[in-house]
Amino acid sequence: MKQVAVIGGGASGLSAAVTAGKMGAAVTIYERGPRVGKKLLATGNGRCNLSNRFCTIDRYHGGDPAFIRPAMEQFDLQSTVKFFGDLGLMLTNLDEGKLYPRPLQASAVLDVLRMEVQRLQVDTQCSLEIEEICPTEEGFLLRSGANSFSADTVVLAAGGEASPQLGGTDSGYRLLKKLGHTITPRIPSIVQLKTDMATIKPLSGLKIDGRVRLFTGKREVTSQFGEILFTDYGVSGPPIMQLSGTVSRLLYEGKEAVLSLDITPELDQKSLYFTLKSRMYSHPERTLEEFFVGMLPKRLGQCAMKAVSLIPLSRKVSELADRDLWALVSKLKDWRLTVKDTNGFRNAQVTAGGASVAEFEPQTMESKLVPGLYACGEVLDVDGDCGGFNLQWAWSSGRLAGLSAASK
């Protein structure tokens, strides 16, 4: 019976183990943490956004996004839905194509995977870190301290460095590097951003829908729409998380990253100007502090006013000049924030960068340098957008690696 070792008990590792087990292999999962799937429980705010109906290649990044095509085509969305359906997990489709378990609990996803692992008699070794992978004539020898374990083939699914408190680690990169693989620089992705706070310090905790554009120099790189969350260090929220991978790459390259917030995306500049002018004429007796009441959250309106005018907020609206109105229009449509840093790996959901995919076969996930060694998931230089794309890559790459390792 084929002996398959899976290093890492996260999403891609569990996918690989279940697939190899169904192929009739004797599978052992080696997990450095006290239990498998810990990081999975935290995904999707505890609800586990496990895939997305719009998993196209343009939602993925890395050295060669086209590398994902064979795995994603062989184990596509429909295959993933069937895979979990066969395990007894029903899915539900929420906003923006996001797929969740019907109970809206990440524990439901982990439970069906663990039950299948148990049914297939997969051996799970937790609190055990593999420190070295040694190719032999018969297969592989895996070393952990004074202990060693043999295997015919190995699937490396050790994940990335994001969220170390949930099990994120660089151990997979170290193992591959020892075997001669190239490891590209790793940076945090799907993470909050630290910005200059001069104009937004009083807004911590405030949420507002808006459009966020990302600039480097005068060039607009990309944009996102959604709920922006102001924090005591900068900004967060879905559109920020979507942009964060690109921001992280710009900062790593030493380039400037500037966010432009459009607080009133439903109005163009001219319409916003006449809206403000109408408010000024309709309620001239109101103070500047009250000018935006009913239009914007109170703190946001006051911050915008302070940012463009030196007139005390206790003064009357009637004292606003035309240039003040246009300055307010400019601020609300193009509120600039310079990004200083990301919130780091501890707060990141995904690692961008990793093992170079040029050194792996996309049709099998097998190493071109070490026959019989396969890699999948976050340890590879592949990262997806926020919204279930990274977990879909974990399921697809894990299943292809498990299938290949069991059938080699």
Side-chain angles (χ1 to χ4, degrees):
M1 184 181 290
K2 179 68 69 67
Q3 303 286 328
V4 177
V6 178
I7 302 176
S12 64
L14 289 169
S15 178
V18 168
T19 303
K22 286 183 176 180
M23 293 287 293
V27 183
T28 301
I29 298 174
Y30 297 96
E31 167 56 44
R32 64 188 292 272
R35 60 178 298 186
V36 299
K38 184 178 179 180
K39 192 173 180 181
L40 189 61
L41 292 175
T43 59
N45 292 321
R47 299 191 304 172
C48 193
N49 175 196
L50 56 79
S51 187
N52 196 294
R53 291 192 297 111
F54 307 114
C55 279
T56 51
I57 287 180
D58 63 311
R59 304 307 297 265
Y60 292 88
H61 316 281
D64 180 15
F67 174 84
I68 74 171
R69 191 186 299 275
M72 298 288 276
E73 287 180 348
Q74 188 166 350
F75 299 107
D76 59 10
L77 176 64
Q78 288 69 34
S79 300
T80 300
V81 171
K82 184 179 185 305
F83 173 76
F84 282 107
D86 290 344
L87 300 183
L89 184 72
M90 298 175 64
L91 305 183
T92 184
N93 179 26
L94 297 185
D95 58 303
E96 299 176 333
K98 297 176 183 177
L99 291 182
Y100 291 84
R102 193 173 185 278
L104 294 179
Q105 294 178 319
S107 58
V109 181
L110 182 55
D111 284 344
V112 297
L113 287 168
R114 291 175 68 182
M115 286 189 290
E116 185 68 356
V117 162
Q118 186 175 10
R119 185 186 73 82
L120 294 169
Q121 298 183 337
V122 172
D123 184 17
T124 303
Q125 299 287 331
C126 292
S127 300
L128 190 154
E129 182 170 3
I130 299 300
E131 298 164 347
E132 189 175 10
I133 301 172
C134 305
T136 67
E137 291 184 3
E138 294 78 21
F140 293 89
L141 195 65
L142 309 180
R143 292 202 173 102
S144 175
N147 300 314
S148 60
F149 313 91
S150 60
D152 297 314
T153 55
V154 175
V155 176
L156 184 59
E161 294 178 76
S163 302
Q165 71 278 16
L166 298 176
T169 175
D170 68 348
S171 63
Y173 309 124
R174 288 188 275 111
L175 288 171
L176 287 174
K177 190 172 183 179
K178 284 183 181 179
L179 293 169
H181 277 279
T182 303
I183 308 300
T184 66
R186 286 97 62 200
I187 51 178
S189 184
I190 310 185
V191 63
Q192 310 91 337
L193 300 177
K194 296 179 179 180
T195 69
D196 64 274
M197 300 296 294
T199 60
I200 64 169
K201 190 173 183 179
L203 301 181
S204 181
L206 182 68
K207 297 178 181 179
I208 188 167
D209 285 342
R211 179 163 295 281
V212 185
R213 294 184 296 161
L214 171 62
F215 287 85
T216 182
K218 295 182 178 180
R219 180 173 67 91
E220 180 175 345
V221 181
T222 185
S223 69
Q224 294 288 334
F225 177 84
E227 186 180 73
I228 303 165
L229 169 63
F230 294 94
T231 70
D232 57 1
Y233 52 79
V235 285
S236 184
I240 301 299
M241 304 294 259
Q242 288 284 28
L243 293 168
S244 63
T246 305
V247 171
S248 200
R249 289 180 176 90
L250 288 173
L251 295 178
Y252 179 81
E253 294 168 1
K255 297 178 181 177
E256 179 187 49
V258 177
L259 304 179
S260 168
L261 311 185
D262 184 350
I263 304 301
T264 56
E266 74 279 12
L267 299 172
D268 60 28
Q269 287 193 340
K270 190 174 181 180
S271 299
L272 179 57
Y273 167 76
F274 283 114
T275 297
L276 298 184
K277 195 165 189 176
S278 174
R279 293 177 72 83
M280 185 181 72
Y281 283 128
S282 297
H283 301 283
E285 77 287 352
R286 291 183 179 177
T287 64
L288 296 181
E289 185 178 9
E290 302 165 333
F291 182 62
F292 284 108
V293 172
M295 178 181 175
L296 296 175
K298 191 172 182 179
R299 281 187 290 158
L300 182 60
Q302 291 174 1
C303 276
M305 190 67 73
K306 288 179 180 178
V308 303
S309 176
L310 297 178
I311 303 175
L313 296 185
S314 59
R315 304 286 283 273
K316 298 296 183 182
V317 167
S318 56
E319 296 186 39
L320 284 175
D322 204 55
R323 64 177 180 275
D324 296 320
L325 294 180
W326 279 112
L328 284 170
V329 168
S330 178
K331 178 59 67 176
L332 295 178
K333 299 296 292 181
D334 187 17
W335 198 315
R336 296 278 174 135
L337 299 172
T338 299
V339 181
K340 294 183 175 180
D341 200 356
T342 71
N343 221 13
F345 274 121
R346 183 169 183 81
N347 297 284
Q349 296 180 25
V350 172
T351 304
S356 172
V357 295
E359 297 168 356
F360 289 85
E361 294 288 352
Q363 301 292 340
T364 61
M365 311 302 292
E366 185 176 20
S367 167
K368 295 178 180 179
L369 308 182
V370 185
L373 173 67
Y374 303 80
C376 56
E378 197 175 346
V379 76
L380 294 169
D381 183 12
V382 175
D383 64 288
D385 289 341
C386 184
F389 301 99
N390 288 288
L391 274 181
Q392 180 59 59
W393 167 243
W395 310 131
S396 297
S397 61
R399 291 173 71 190
L400 181 54
L403 174 68
S404 303
S407 60
K408 183 175 175 61

